[in-house]
Amino acid sequence: MEYSKEDLIEAKRQILGGRENMGTEESKKIWEKNAQFWDNAMGDESNEFHREVVRPKVTELLSPNPADYILDIACGNGNYSSYLAQRGASIVAFDYSKKMIELAKRRQSQYAKQIEFCVADATNRESILELKRNRAFTKAVSNMAIMDITDIEPLLMAVYELLEESGIFVFATQHPCFITLTEKYMTPHSYYGIAIEGQPEEQIYYHRSIQDIFNLCFRAGFVIDGFYEECFKNNKEIPMVMIVRLKKVKRDSLK
């Protein structure tokens, strides 16, 4: 089943919950305040959760190599960009927090020849398309950011345009079935919460069901050809993260 444009507009309205301060600008202000704390907490190697749960399967599905030109979406302090650079790839990495990009440039300065850090808004298709360079991206990646983005449809549409034919987009996000602070699953909504204990400000999470996320992927022109659900530490039955590999196909082939 593919959602109509009206269905998607209604879903977006419900994600914002009718509250103006739950939108992109409020979220950006929060991340500006959290940027220094986040950079300190994630460091050069990221934290245990990212190293053990997120990074292994993301990297497996992404399969980075020295020939790759990769778009790193919502890159934070750039530690996954540097991980890719160590494997020989070239990267354009972006975040909507100017402070975060400043910190990323400083922390990853040794990889300046391989990583171009930019400020761009993942909810704005034109902002993302401005990242187009003289070659198409072979791959795109997003680590634990989809649930932080107000509206992911412009992102998916833009990434589709920026990727080469048959290019792939791998994203990891908190598992919407199991990791939420509310009792709603089917209804899109937003709520405040924390990712790392001690962060200065609660961030805004935007909940979408798996079918909502996947239908937006299909609508953009992607098919899914890789999928993992990952648990953390001793809880082996409730996955905290889902990791998805999308592949760009001709949109006509999806009709």
Side-chain angles (χ1 to χ4, degrees), residues 2 5 60 71-72 77 79 94 140 142 155 164 177 180 192 204 206 237 252:
E2 184 175 342
K5 184 177 181 180
E60 178 186 327
L71 182 66
D72 187 359
N77 77 347
N79 60 38
F94 77 90
S142 178
L155 172 66
E164 67 180 14
C177 296
T180 178
Y192 289 92
I204 306 173
Y206 301 95
E237 294 299 329
D252 289 346

Side-chain angles (χ1 to χ4, degrees), residues 113-128:
K113 291 183 178 179
Q114 287 174 263
I115 308 172
E116 179 186 357
F117 285 108
C118 305
V119 176
D121 183 353
T123 68
N124 185 309
R125 177 175 169 273
E126 294 306 318
S127 178
I128 302 167

Side-chain angles (χ1 to χ4, degrees), residues 73-93:
I73 298 156
C75 65
N77 77 347
N79 60 38
Y80 192 69
S81 292
S82 70
Y83 182 83
L84 296 172
Q86 291 167 34
R87 281 145 186 80
S90 297
I91 304 101
V92 172

Side-chain angles (χ1 to χ4, degrees), residues 91-218:
I91 304 101
V92 172
F94 77 90
D95 202 285
Y96 68 171
S97 166
K98 292 181 181 179
K99 180 65 174 177
M100 197 74 83
I101 289 299
E102 290 172 5
L103 294 168
K105 287 180 178 178
R106 189 181 310 159
R107 183 173 287 278
Q108 313 302 344
S109 59
Q110 63 181 309
Y111 301 107
K113 291 183 178 179
Q114 287 174 263
I115 308 172
E116 179 186 357
F117 285 108
C118 305
V119 176
D121 183 353
T123 68
N124 185 309
R125 177 175 169 273
E126 294 306 318
S127 178
I128 302 167
L129 290 179
E130 288 178 3
L131 300 173
K132 184 177 181 180
R133 301 296 183 253
N134 59 4
R135 60 178 288 200
F137 291 100
T138 58
K139 296 168 183 174
V141 65
S142 178
N143 284 297
M144 302 304 289
I146 293 296
M147 71 277 189
D148 299 325
I149 299 172
T150 321
D151 180 4
I152 61 171
E153 185 175 17
L155 172 66
L156 290 164
M157 292 292 184
V159 171
Y160 181 93
E161 292 184 49
L162 292 173
L163 284 173
E164 67 180 14
E165 292 303 316
S166 300
I168 64 168
F169 175 20
V170 177
F171 68 85
T173 188
Q174 68 181 24
H175 203 300
C177 296
F178 305 105
I179 308 302
T180 178
L181 296 183
T182 77
E183 295 180 353
K184 296 179 182 178
Y185 174 71
M186 295 301 294
T187 304
H189 60 281
S190 56
Y191 59 89
Y192 289 92
I194 62 169
I196 300 178
E197 197 68 40
Q199 68 186 65
E201 298 280 335
E202 287 188 326
Q203 66 205 64
I204 306 173
Y205 288 98
Y206 301 95
H207 171 86
R208 305 166 183 91
S209 67
I210 292 176
Q211 72 171 5
D212 286 350
I213 294 170
F214 284 6
N215 270 300
L216 287 170
C217 295
F218 301 146

